[in-house]
Each structure stands twice: as structure tokens, then as C-alpha cells.
Amino acid sequence: MLLLACERTPAEHYARALDVDVPLAEAMDGCATLPAGDEDDCKTAALEVRQEEGQCGDIEDPVWKDECLFLEGERLRKQGRLSEAFALCEATRFG
């Protein structure tokens, strides 16, 4: 009974994934507990708030993978790393 009381809800896992003080690996593990369709959304959002580089490979859904690559490309563009940014955009289905 006590163990069930400590279990997080899907909303709590998602909110925790957006908390930049939570390590990325822990955030991704929490996202992996979410229902199908929400997991990759959560992973993309967790990466976006942390500005993590090169982590889109953990995302399987093609729509969310493209979104992750675009977000990473935008971050690289802001850093002046244009060729890397364009390469990421080219890696999407819309490249």
C-alpha cells in the first residue's frame, strides 16, 4: 500500500521531466513510463528545456524526432553553428 502511495501519476512524470534540476537520465526514465504517444512528446520537451545537444536519438516517433532535430538546429543556429544546424534540418523528413 505504501509503495502505491509513492507512485507518480503521468502528469507528475511529465512535470518532473520539465524540471531542469532533475538529471536528464531520470527525466527520460520518467517519460518512458508515460502512455504511448506521450513518451516522445515528453522526451522532446525535456530536451528542449535543458538545451541538451545530440540527444534526439532516444526519440522514436518520427514527428517528435523531427521536432527535436529542428529545436536542436535552432539552438545551434543561435550559436552561429550554421552548417551543423542545416545538417540537422536536412536529417528530418522535411529536409
Side-chain angles (χ1 to χ4, degrees):
M1 177 91 164
L2 182 59
L3 188 59
L4 291 175
C6 295
E7 195 65 31
R8 289 190 175 100
T9 67
E12 290 170 327
H13 279 294
Y14 200 111
R16 191 158 169 73
L18 298 179
D19 182 348
V20 295
D21 293 329
V22 172
L24 178 61
E26 187 178 325
M28 295 301 222
D29 288 345
C31 290
T33 68
L34 297 178
D38 294 334
E39 178 181 350
D40 287 335
D41 173 9
C42 178
K43 288 179 177 180
T44 301
L47 292 169
E48 181 178 12
V49 298
R50 286 173 178 78
Q51 299 290 301
E52 292 285 334
E53 186 171 331
Q55 299 292 323
C56 296
D58 290 339
I59 299 171
E60 295 178 21
D61 181 278
V63 172
W64 288 112
K65 187 174 202 84
D66 287 345
E67 178 65 14
C68 185
L69 291 170
F70 278 125
L71 290 169
E72 188 169 335
E74 287 176 351
R75 186 180 52 71
L76 292 173
R77 179 190 57 82
K78 289 177 186 174
Q79 295 175 0
R81 298 164 61 184
L82 293 179
S83 61
E84 293 172 81
F86 281 123
L88 285 176
C89 290
E90 288 290 323
T92 70
R93 296 172 299 150
F94 308 104

PDB file of all heavy atoms in Angstrom, residues 4-26:
ATOM      1  N   LEU A   4       2.345   2.015  -3.441  1.00  0.00           N
ATOM      2  CA  LEU A   4       1.392   2.626  -4.369  1.00  0.00           C
ATOM      3  C   LEU A   4       1.213   4.107  -4.095  1.00  0.00           C
ATOM      4  O   LEU A   4       1.017   4.898  -5.006  1.00  0.00           O
ATOM      5  CB  LEU A   4       0.039   1.906  -4.294  1.00  0.00           C
ATOM      6  CG  LEU A   4       0.018   0.482  -4.843  1.00  0.00           C
ATOM      7  CD1 LEU A   4      -1.342  -0.147  -4.603  1.00  0.00           C
ATOM      8  CD2 LEU A   4       0.359   0.478  -6.314  1.00  0.00           C
ATOM      9  N   ALA A   5       1.289   4.505  -2.851  1.00  0.00           N
ATOM     10  CA  ALA A   5       1.125   5.915  -2.490  1.00  0.00           C
ATOM     11  C   ALA A   5       2.278   6.751  -3.021  1.00  0.00           C
ATOM     12  O   ALA A   5       2.130   7.950  -3.247  1.00  0.00           O
ATOM     13  CB  ALA A   5       1.002   6.058  -0.976  1.00  0.00           C
ATOM     14  N   CYS A   6       3.432   6.133  -3.245  1.00  0.00           N
ATOM     15  CA  CYS A   6       4.614   6.866  -3.720  1.00  0.00           C
ATOM     16  C   CYS A   6       4.697   6.909  -5.245  1.00  0.00           C
ATOM     17  O   CYS A   6       5.553   7.584  -5.785  1.00  0.00           O
ATOM     18  CB  CYS A   6       5.883   6.219  -3.172  1.00  0.00           C
ATOM     19  SG  CYS A   6       6.015   6.324  -1.381  1.00  0.00           S
ATOM     20  N   GLU A   7       3.853   6.172  -5.928  1.00  0.00           N
ATOM     21  CA  GLU A   7       3.882   6.115  -7.392  1.00  0.00           C
ATOM     22  C   GLU A   7       3.447   7.455  -7.981  1.00  0.00           C
ATOM     23  O   GLU A   7       2.481   8.056  -7.533  1.00  0.00           O
ATOM     24  CB  GLU A   7       2.953   5.000  -7.872  1.00  0.00           C
ATOM     25  CG  GLU A   7       3.152   4.603  -9.296  1.00  0.00           C
ATOM     26  CD  GLU A   7       4.511   3.986  -9.574  1.00  0.00           C
ATOM     27  OE1 GLU A   7       5.086   3.344  -8.692  1.00  0.00           O
ATOM     28  OE2 GLU A   7       4.998   4.174 -10.697  1.00  0.00           O
ATOM     29  N   ARG A   8       4.186   7.941  -8.982  1.00  0.00           N
ATOM     30  CA  ARG A   8       3.852   9.215  -9.625  1.00  0.00           C
ATOM     31  C   ARG A   8       2.796   9.012 -10.704  1.00  0.00           C
ATOM     32  O   ARG A   8       2.782   7.996 -11.389  1.00  0.00           O
ATOM     33  CB  ARG A   8       5.100   9.825 -10.259  1.00  0.00           C
ATOM     34  CG  ARG A   8       6.081  10.335  -9.256  1.00  0.00           C
ATOM     35  CD  ARG A   8       7.174  11.152  -9.946  1.00  0.00           C
ATOM     36  NE  ARG A   8       8.053  11.727  -8.959  1.00  0.00           N
ATOM     37  CZ  ARG A   8       9.236  11.216  -8.631  1.00  0.00           C
ATOM     38  NH1 ARG A   8       9.679  10.148  -9.233  1.00  0.00           N
ATOM     39  NH2 ARG A   8       9.973  11.788  -7.712  1.00  0.00           N
ATOM     40  N   THR A   9       1.964  10.011 -10.889  1.00  0.00           N
ATOM     41  CA  THR A   9       0.980   9.998 -11.972  1.00  0.00           C
ATOM     42  C   THR A   9       1.688  10.389 -13.269  1.00  0.00           C
ATOM     43  O   THR A   9       2.787  10.963 -13.237  1.00  0.00           O
ATOM     44  CB  THR A   9      -0.151  11.001 -11.701  1.00  0.00           C
ATOM     45  OG1 THR A   9       0.395  12.323 -11.754  1.00  0.00           O
ATOM     46  CG2 THR A   9      -0.822  10.748 -10.355  1.00  0.00           C
ATOM     47  N   PRO A  10       1.074  10.113 -14.427  1.00  0.00           N
ATOM     48  CA  PRO A  10       1.683  10.562 -15.688  1.00  0.00           C
ATOM     49  C   PRO A  10       1.952  12.065 -15.700  1.00  0.00           C
ATOM     50  O   PRO A  10       3.013  12.499 -16.174  1.00  0.00           O
ATOM     51  CB  PRO A  10       0.642  10.157 -16.732  1.00  0.00           C
ATOM     52  CG  PRO A  10      -0.016   8.953 -16.147  1.00  0.00           C
ATOM     53  CD  PRO A  10      -0.095   9.261 -14.669  1.00  0.00           C
ATOM     54  N   ALA A  11       1.039  12.851 -15.175  1.00  0.00           N
ATOM     55  CA  ALA A  11       1.246  14.313 -15.145  1.00  0.00           C
ATOM     56  C   ALA A  11       2.450  14.680 -14.284  1.00  0.00           C
ATOM     57  O   ALA A  11       3.220  15.585 -14.632  1.00  0.00           O
ATOM     58  CB  ALA A  11      -0.005  15.012 -14.629  1.00  0.00           C
ATOM     59  N   GLU A  12       2.643  13.968 -13.185  1.00  0.00           N
ATOM     60  CA  GLU A  12       3.796  14.239 -12.321  1.00  0.00           C
ATOM     61  C   GLU A  12       5.107  13.854 -13.015  1.00  0.00           C
ATOM     62  O   GLU A  12       6.110  14.564 -12.893  1.00  0.00           O
ATOM     63  CB  GLU A  12       3.653  13.495 -10.994  1.00  0.00           C
ATOM     64  CG  GLU A  12       2.562  14.071 -10.116  1.00  0.00           C
ATOM     65  CD  GLU A  12       2.242  13.208  -8.903  1.00  0.00           C
ATOM     66  OE1 GLU A  12       2.336  11.959  -9.000  1.00  0.00           O
ATOM     67  OE2 GLU A  12       1.900  13.795  -7.868  1.00  0.00           O
ATOM     68  N   HIS A  13       5.096  12.746 -13.748  1.00  0.00           N
ATOM     69  CA  HIS A  13       6.294  12.357 -14.509  1.00  0.00           C
ATOM     70  C   HIS A  13       6.630  13.419 -15.558  1.00  0.00           C
ATOM     71  O   HIS A  13       7.790  13.784 -15.739  1.00  0.00           O
ATOM     72  CB  HIS A  13       6.091  11.004 -15.207  1.00  0.00           C
ATOM     73  CG  HIS A  13       6.290   9.832 -14.313  1.00  0.00           C
ATOM     74  ND1 HIS A  13       7.496   9.505 -13.756  1.00  0.00           N
ATOM     75  CD2 HIS A  13       5.413   8.898 -13.869  1.00  0.00           C
ATOM     76  CE1 HIS A  13       7.374   8.421 -13.021  1.00  0.00           C
ATOM     77  NE2 HIS A  13       6.118   8.036 -13.066  1.00  0.00           N
ATOM     78  N   TYR A  14       5.606  13.912 -16.249  1.00  0.00           N
ATOM     79  CA  TYR A  14       5.832  14.926 -17.294  1.00  0.00           C
ATOM     80  C   TYR A  14       6.368  16.208 -16.662  1.00  0.00           C
ATOM     81  O   TYR A  14       7.349  16.786 -17.142  1.00  0.00           O
ATOM     82  CB  TYR A  14       4.536  15.192 -18.058  1.00  0.00           C
ATOM     83  CG  TYR A  14       4.747  15.833 -19.407  1.00  0.00           C
ATOM     84  CD1 TYR A  14       4.489  15.124 -20.569  1.00  0.00           C
ATOM     85  CD2 TYR A  14       5.210  17.134 -19.543  1.00  0.00           C
ATOM     86  CE1 TYR A  14       4.677  15.693 -21.820  1.00  0.00           C
ATOM     87  CE2 TYR A  14       5.407  17.713 -20.774  1.00  0.00           C
ATOM     88  CZ  TYR A  14       5.143  16.994 -21.911  1.00  0.00           C
ATOM     89  OH  TYR A  14       5.344  17.560 -23.142  1.00  0.00           O
ATOM     90  N   ALA A  15       5.745  16.647 -15.583  1.00  0.00           N
ATOM     91  CA  ALA A  15       6.197  17.873 -14.907  1.00  0.00           C
ATOM     92  C   ALA A  15       7.625  17.715 -14.395  1.00  0.00           C
ATOM     93  O   ALA A  15       8.440  18.640 -14.511  1.00  0.00           O
ATOM     94  CB  ALA A  15       5.247  18.215 -13.760  1.00  0.00           C
ATOM     95  N   ARG A  16       7.941  16.562 -13.873  1.00  0.00           N
ATOM     96  CA  ARG A  16       9.302  16.311 -13.370  1.00  0.00           C
ATOM     97  C   ARG A  16      10.316  16.332 -14.515  1.00  0.00           C
ATOM     98  O   ARG A  16      11.438  16.805 -14.356  1.00  0.00           O
ATOM     99  CB  ARG A  16       9.321  14.972 -12.641  1.00  0.00           C
ATOM    100  CG  ARG A  16      10.561  14.724 -11.858  1.00  0.00           C
ATOM    101  CD  ARG A  16      10.314  13.683 -10.771  1.00  0.00           C
ATOM    102  NE  ARG A  16      11.553  13.238 -10.181  1.00  0.00           N
ATOM    103  CZ  ARG A  16      12.299  13.957  -9.342  1.00  0.00           C
ATOM    104  NH1 ARG A  16      11.916  15.163  -8.993  1.00  0.00           N
ATOM    105  NH2 ARG A  16      13.420  13.472  -8.859  1.00  0.00           N
ATOM    106  N   ALA A  17       9.918  15.841 -15.674  1.00  0.00           N
ATOM    107  CA  ALA A  17      10.809  15.853 -16.842  1.00  0.00           C
ATOM    108  C   ALA A  17      11.141  17.273 -17.274  1.00  0.00           C
ATOM    109  O   ALA A  17      12.208  17.527 -17.825  1.00  0.00           O
ATOM    110  CB  ALA A  17      10.167  15.089 -17.998  1.00  0.00           C
ATOM    111  N   LEU A  18      10.242  18.215 -16.999  1.00  0.00           N
ATOM    112  CA  LEU A  18      10.470  19.615 -17.370  1.00  0.00           C
ATOM    113  C   LEU A  18      11.269  20.386 -16.324  1.00  0.00           C
ATOM    114  O   LEU A  18      11.651  21.531 -16.556  1.00  0.00           O
ATOM    115  CB  LEU A  18       9.130  20.316 -17.612  1.00  0.00           C
ATOM    116  CG  LEU A  18       8.300  19.747 -18.756  1.00  0.00           C
ATOM    117  CD1 LEU A  18       6.981  20.506 -18.874  1.00  0.00           C
ATOM    118  CD2 LEU A  18       9.059  19.790 -20.063  1.00  0.00           C
ATOM    119  N   ASP A  19      11.533  19.776 -15.187  1.00  0.00           N
ATOM    120  CA  ASP A  19      12.299  20.407 -14.111  1.00  0.00           C
ATOM    121  C   ASP A  19      13.788  20.266 -14.427  1.00  0.00           C
ATOM    122  O   ASP A  19      14.335  19.155 -14.397  1.00  0.00           O
ATOM    123  CB  ASP A  19      11.962  19.739 -12.780  1.00  0.00           C
ATOM    124  CG  ASP A  19      12.676  20.355 -11.592  1.00  0.00           C
ATOM    125  OD1 ASP A  19      13.618  21.168 -11.777  1.00  0.00           O
ATOM    126  OD2 ASP A  19      12.302  20.019 -10.457  1.00  0.00           O
ATOM    127  N   VAL A  20      14.448  21.368 -14.734  1.00  0.00           N
ATOM    128  CA  VAL A  20      15.859  21.317 -15.141  1.00  0.00           C
ATOM    129  C   VAL A  20      16.785  20.869 -14.016  1.00  0.00           C
ATOM    130  O   VAL A  20      17.948  20.545 -14.270  1.00  0.00           O
ATOM    131  CB  VAL A  20      16.342  22.660 -15.733  1.00  0.00           C
ATOM    132  CG1 VAL A  20      15.607  22.977 -17.020  1.00  0.00           C
ATOM    133  CG2 VAL A  20      16.212  23.775 -14.728  1.00  0.00           C
ATOM    134  N   ASP A  21      16.298  20.839 -12.782  1.00  0.00           N
ATOM    135  CA  ASP A  21      17.114  20.360 -11.673  1.00  0.00           C
ATOM    136  C   ASP A  21      17.128  18.836 -11.577  1.00  0.00           C
ATOM    137  O   ASP A  21      17.927  18.260 -10.854  1.00  0.00           O
ATOM    138  CB  ASP A  21      16.621  20.957 -10.352  1.00  0.00           C
ATOM    139  CG  ASP A  21      16.856  22.459 -10.290  1.00  0.00           C
ATOM    140  OD1 ASP A  21      17.846  22.939 -10.887  1.00  0.00           O
ATOM    141  OD2 ASP A  21      16.050  23.160  -9.656  1.00  0.00           O
ATOM    142  N   VAL A  22      16.240  18.185 -12.326  1.00  0.00           N
ATOM    143  CA  VAL A  22      16.195  16.723 -12.373  1.00  0.00           C
ATOM    144  C   VAL A  22      17.186  16.276 -13.450  1.00  0.00           C
ATOM    145  O   VAL A  22      17.160  16.792 -14.565  1.00  0.00           O
ATOM    146  CB  VAL A  22      14.761  16.240 -12.711  1.00  0.00           C
ATOM    147  CG1 VAL A  22      14.734  14.740 -12.946  1.00  0.00           C
ATOM    148  CG2 VAL A  22      13.799  16.640 -11.603  1.00  0.00           C
ATOM    149  N   PRO A  23      18.068  15.327 -13.140  1.00  0.00           N
ATOM    150  CA  PRO A  23      19.022  14.851 -14.160  1.00  0.00           C
ATOM    151  C   PRO A  23      18.291  14.342 -15.406  1.00  0.00           C
ATOM    152  O   PRO A  23      17.210  13.756 -15.304  1.00  0.00           O
ATOM    153  CB  PRO A  23      19.759  13.713 -13.451  1.00  0.00           C
ATOM    154  CG  PRO A  23      19.579  13.977 -11.991  1.00  0.00           C
ATOM    155  CD  PRO A  23      18.245  14.646 -11.856  1.00  0.00           C
ATOM    156  N   LEU A  24      18.897  14.560 -16.568  1.00  0.00           N
ATOM    157  CA  LEU A  24      18.266  14.184 -17.830  1.00  0.00           C
ATOM    158  C   LEU A  24      17.913  12.698 -17.860  1.00  0.00           C
ATOM    159  O   LEU A  24      16.820  12.327 -18.291  1.00  0.00           O
ATOM    160  CB  LEU A  24      19.162  14.537 -19.016  1.00  0.00           C
ATOM    161  CG  LEU A  24      18.620  14.148 -20.386  1.00  0.00           C
ATOM    162  CD1 LEU A  24      17.299  14.860 -20.673  1.00  0.00           C
ATOM    163  CD2 LEU A  24      19.635  14.439 -21.467  1.00  0.00           C
ATOM    164  N   ALA A  25      18.799  11.841 -17.412  1.00  0.00           N
ATOM    165  CA  ALA A  25      18.521  10.396 -17.444  1.00  0.00           C
ATOM    166  C   ALA A  25      17.274  10.065 -16.629  1.00  0.00           C
ATOM    167  O   ALA A  25      16.442   9.255 -17.054  1.00  0.00           O
ATOM    168  CB  ALA A  25      19.723   9.613 -16.926  1.00  0.00           C
ATOM    169  N   GLU A  26      17.130  10.690 -15.487  1.00  0.00           N
ATOM    170  CA  GLU A  26      15.953  10.458 -14.645  1.00  0.00           C
ATOM    171  C   GLU A  26      14.691  10.991 -15.322  1.00  0.00           C
ATOM    172  O   GLU A  26      13.636  10.362 -15.281  1.00  0.00           O
ATOM    173  CB  GLU A  26      16.156  11.137 -13.289  1.00  0.00           C
ATOM    174  CG  GLU A  26      15.079  10.830 -12.284  1.00  0.00           C
ATOM    175  CD  GLU A  26      15.345  11.486 -10.939  1.00  0.00           C
ATOM    176  OE1 GLU A  26      16.524  11.594 -10.537  1.00  0.00           O
ATOM    177  OE2 GLU A  26      14.364  11.878 -10.284  1.00  0.00           O
TER     178      GLU A  26
END
